[in-house]
Amino acid sequence: MSVYVATIEQDGHGRWTASADGLTGTGNGYTAARDTLTDALFARDGEEPELRRDRTEIPIPGRAERTPDRLLALVATELPDQAEKLASSLEKARGLDARDGEALAVTAWCVETAGLIVTHRARPAGEDVEPAFVPWTKPDPRAGNDVFLSCWSPHQLDDLPTLTKIADVPRTVLGILDALAPTERVRAWQEMTTAEHGPALDRAMARWWNIAMVMGTTALQHTVKQSTKRLTAGDRGTPATDLPASRALDDLHHDLTDEEQTARRTAWDRSQREQAEARDAREDAYVADLERLLADARQHRDMQLEHRRRRQTVSDARSRIDTPAHEFPIDTGLFARLRDGLPITMHLPARPWRHVTTGESCHFVFTSETEAQLARVTNVRHYDSIEAFDHAGEHAGTAGTTPTTWKELESYPAQWGGIITLTATPTAELVLHHTARSPLPEAAVEPE
């Protein structure tokens, strides 16, 4: 395979021209011109050529400069803001090499750092990356007091009216997740649900709302449509592979030694493995959260259904009489007495129940987890003091009596005007609680 150094340029009319070894190819785009030149070289030589551009304006760190000490010095001069971070990552790489002699982590660090330096050198001199804008601490003035816009870059705020027309994403967790691409939802869910309530949560939601608006499913579909229109109209622009940084990185990678190439591949494999493990952990946590939420939702639904079934059971029991009936929960032991037709006794505070008399048809609907029983008060006894209660031979813990402690009984005279003892006798058949095998009537089930 022959290697040719090609010149690929675009003229003032938008046409591209590729020239190498005396041959020229033209086309409506960078790739078209390159392909035309490649076909011409293949037709002449009978073998597939390899083209390299001859436009490398960016100097790359040579092999002698690609050492940790020399690169740290270059970083301190050209990338002072990243010097501390890169020095820390170098220490981690040295630690990895100390544990694994085949990791080549320091060599990979040198290649990566050289790439950062090259990319920085390739940045146009007039490009300051919006120096007046600092996310959160110094947002664009157009953001005002809106925390959701405080992380938007000025050029993104320029496009906000158009983005809002395309997809007005709700500022809620579920709204943001719905607008994001499926591959982003796991990370978004983890960050938003683990952020502490307050400013941290606001920032997490604002960051992912920005991503949902700018790079969400709908926004990307719109971007693809716009790009397709431009390509159809012949407006192809300059491909990313022909940008100064891309050309300089290509030259850097061609200049790497075999050891550096091996270290770069090893670091890439290690990075992919670590990312896969982190991604699997995030996805497992995401699935666990969804399963927990699903279980909570099912439990809530079952509790609502159980509550409606209980209310229907009580309504069925009350429908058998024309007078009001007080609902009163009791345990299964007392229910067994009612089921056998035996009365039960209740010791209650006097004031709330002093209106109860045997002269009226005062009824109770006694309920348990599975049953409801209608009963009528057949005996009422009043006691002004605990002494009178004891003197009458009443007992708090006898069979057939609702559980009440002696301490509770002692408090009734002072706080509730005395003690009232009611005897209730079952007056109708037992009403069974509706179960899954005995579904509710259609009228009894409220719509969800």
Side-chain angles (χ1 to χ4, degrees), residues 128-152:
D128 292 328
V129 195
E130 301 164 342
F133 165 72
V134 180
W136 308 116
T137 57
K138 192 177 180 182
D140 188 281
R142 288 172 292 178
N145 296 324
D146 191 344
V147 67
F148 275 80
L149 296 179
S150 296
C151 61
W152 283 60

Side-chain angles (χ1 to χ4, degrees), residues 17-91:
T17 302
S19 304
D21 201 31
L23 297 180
T24 300
T26 59
N28 290 329
Y30 173 95
T31 305
R34 181 188 176 101
D35 290 345
T36 303
L37 175 61
T38 301
D39 293 342
L41 290 169
F42 180 81
R44 188 190 69 179
D45 302 336
E47 62 177 359
E48 193 69 32
E50 179 184 347
L51 297 182
R52 288 199 61 200
R53 296 181 300 279
D54 64 346
R55 296 175 55 196
T56 301
E57 306 91 345
I58 311 302
I60 64 172
R63 297 183 180 182
E65 291 183 301
R66 293 199 293 269
T67 62
D69 294 339
R70 182 58 184 148
L71 288 173
L72 284 178
L74 290 175
V75 167
T77 303
E78 302 183 31
L79 297 170
D81 294 341
Q82 300 188 42
E84 183 177 350
K85 177 181 177 182
L86 290 173
S88 176
S89 63
L90 175 59
E91 291 303 316

Side-chain angles (χ1 to χ4, degrees), residues 93-101:
R94 284 171 171 163
L96 182 58
D97 279 347
R99 295 190 300 271
D100 182 1

Side-chain angles (χ1 to χ4, degrees), residues 5-21:
V5 177
T7 300
I8 306 176
E9 301 286 353
Q10 186 179 28
D11 61 26
H13 302 287
R15 294 279 293 178
W16 287 82
T17 302
S19 304
D21 201 31

Side-chain angles (χ1 to χ4, degrees), residues 333-351:
L334 293 176
F335 240 102
R337 290 180 60 87
L338 294 175
R339 191 184 298 111
D340 295 336
L342 301 175
I344 64 172
T345 301
M346 299 176 288
H347 303 303
L348 305 171
R351 189 173 296 119

Side-chain angles (χ1 to χ4, degrees), residues 63 66 110-111 114 251-261 264:
R63 297 183 180 182
R66 293 199 293 269
C110 292
V111 174
D251 289 332
L252 173 64
H253 294 156
H254 276 93
D255 189 58
L256 296 179
T257 63
D258 291 343
E259 181 184 5
E260 288 174 325
Q261 292 283 12
R264 183 168 175 250

